[in-house]
Structure formats: C-alpha cells, structure tokens
Amino acid sequence: RIYCNIKFTYGILLFGETMILKVMRHSLTNLNESQRIQGQIDIPLSANGEQLAHRIWIDFEFGPFDYIVSSPLLRATQTAIIASKHLNYNKPIVMLQAFIERNFGMLDYQPIETSRPLLKHPENIEGFEHNEAFESRITKGLNILHKYYSNQMLLVFCHSHVIKGLLHISSNVEASYIKTKIDHESILVFDYGGNTLNYIERIKKNT
C-alpha cells in the first residue's frame, strides 16, 4: 500500500501515516515541590503549579497541533485544561489511560533522593510496575493514538516516567529511568508511524 499524504511543519516532513507527539510533563504538585514520589497518587496542582501552568504559555512558540491528549490523573488534566484555554483549543481533550504514571508501589510518598538506590533493584520493591509491563502499556497507548490520529500532531500532557519510557523505547536515543531528568517546562517531540518511535527534539521556551 502506498500513502501519498504529505504534511510539512516547522522543519518536519510527514509521509503516510506518521503521527507527531509533542509531549509535556504536567505542572507542579505539592509532592513535586517536596521532592517525593507520587506515582499514581491522584492529587491536584499546587498553587505554584497552577501559576506555572498559566505562565509557561506566554510567548511559548512550539508549532501547530491538532488535538490535546492527557493522562486522566488530575495533575495532568488540570495542566491540559489550562493549556487549552491559553491556546484557544476548542475540541475535546482526549483522555488516555495508558499514559498514567508508573505505579511505584511501596515507594509512593517516599523522598526521591533516598529512593534512587532502591530503583536500581526494582525486583525488591513491592507493587512496582516493572519496565517490561510499563513500556508495553505505553506502546499500547501509542498504537491507540496512531489508530485514531495518524497524520495528526498531538499535544500530550503526562508524567515524568511516561516521558522517560517514550525516550527509552525510541529507536534513536538513550535514556535512563534514574538519571534522565524531565522538567515541567519543555516539550519533547517524537514521531510514530505505527512501528518505530523516534525522538526528534526538545523545545524549551525562550526566556
């Protein structure tokens, strides 16, 4: 089968059924500010997080998009809703269960710094979602999005380990779940054609 759809945007030439993902981490919560693991704990943005979620879109140039996608966890949906208002987005926000944060099991609420050594031996962490199952879930999410939104550009709001997972399964970049840092103010761009995920670039707001 030959596809002839071609779309060009900010230096990216899209052939066939390629989907572009512009992925951003949710804004700050109280657990983020206290440097504690929150995993699938469903808490809202902090006051500082809400301010950041509004402020980030002022003069932030990251190119066009067609749909907003969000993890259903509250901190991500709040960030997505705030973004939709600043970006004059009037379509429904697409909720994707597959992009909720990793389950950290017994590490929930624990300080990130003291938890890092434990993450080197995840088999000893009760309730922890291991890489194989976690990345399988993320891949299923990619395939769901590609089924319905191929040839589209999606602005996605999710979580630190989901973004690290996307980097981890990308064909052209190396990433570490422990050492790679994901901030709350950058957009990471990927393309996905149904088989291979590729990392393209990181877009950070000019300050």
Side-chain angles (χ1 to χ4, degrees):
R1 187 176 179 184
I2 299 175
Y3 298 99
C4 59
N5 292 328
I6 298 176
K7 193 171 188 178
F8 184 80
T9 178
Y10 74 109
I12 298 173
L13 189 61
L14 305 185
F15 293 93
E17 296 187 340
T18 300
M19 173 180 68
I20 293 294
L21 303 172
K22 300 180 178 184
V23 186
M24 190 174 199
R25 187 181 180 187
H26 62 80
S27 196
L28 296 164
T29 67
N30 287 329
L31 287 176
N32 287 136
E33 292 177 6
S34 61
Q35 294 291 297
R36 292 180 179 272
I37 291 175
Q38 55 194 321
Q40 295 180 4
I41 299 167
D42 202 7
I43 58 174
L45 299 178
S46 65
N48 288 334
E50 288 193 31
Q51 292 176 9
L52 174 62
H54 283 284
R55 188 172 66 246
I56 189 62
W57 302 109
I58 300 173
D59 298 325
F60 191 3
E61 298 181 3
F62 62 94
F65 67 96
D66 299 299
Y67 293 94
I68 290 179
V69 177
S70 178
S71 154
L73 292 180
L74 184 57
R75 57 191 184 269
T77 58
Q78 282 185 296
T79 307
I81 289 169
I82 292 171
S84 71
K85 295 176 181 178
H86 284 274
L87 300 172
N88 297 315
Y89 176 80
N90 298 314
K91 303 172 188 175
I93 294 174
V94 179
M95 295 294 166
L96 187 65
Q97 181 72 20
F99 276 15
I100 65 170
E101 182 59 297
R102 184 200 287 268
N103 188 344
F104 284 88
M106 62 182 291
L107 292 183
D108 284 347
Y109 294 107
Q110 299 305 307
I112 293 173
E113 192 61 36
T114 57
S115 297
R116 283 199 178 101
L118 299 177
L119 289 171
K120 295 178 181 179
H121 302 282
E123 67 277 3
N124 298 326
I125 304 172
E126 183 180 347
F128 185 82
E129 186 176 13
H130 296 285
N131 287 354
E132 183 177 357
F134 182 55
E135 292 173 13
S136 175
R137 168 160 69 81
I138 293 172
T139 301
K140 288 178 181 177
L142 286 171
N143 288 331
I144 290 170
L145 291 177
H146 187 260
K147 179 179 179 180
Y148 295 102
Y149 301 102
S150 62
N151 295 316
Q152 303 294 317
M153 289 176 282
L154 308 180
L155 180 59
V156 181
F157 295 91
C158 55
H159 308 273
S160 174
H161 267 242
V162 174
I163 298 172
K164 291 178 184 181
L166 290 168
L167 289 168
H168 208 253
I169 64 179
S170 293
S171 64
N172 61 337
V173 67
E174 294 185 1
S176 165
Y177 283 113
I178 297 175
K179 295 180 180 180
T180 299
K181 294 185 179 180
I182 306 295
D183 64 46
H184 300 266
E185 302 180 46
S186 301
I187 291 175
L188 279 72
V189 185
F190 301 82
D191 70 47
Y192 185 65
N195 292 307
T196 303
L197 181 69
N198 297 301
Y199 171 69
I200 299 174
E201 65 175 328
R202 176 175 175 263
I203 304 173
K204 190 168 179 66
K205 177 180 175 182
N206 292 325
T207 55

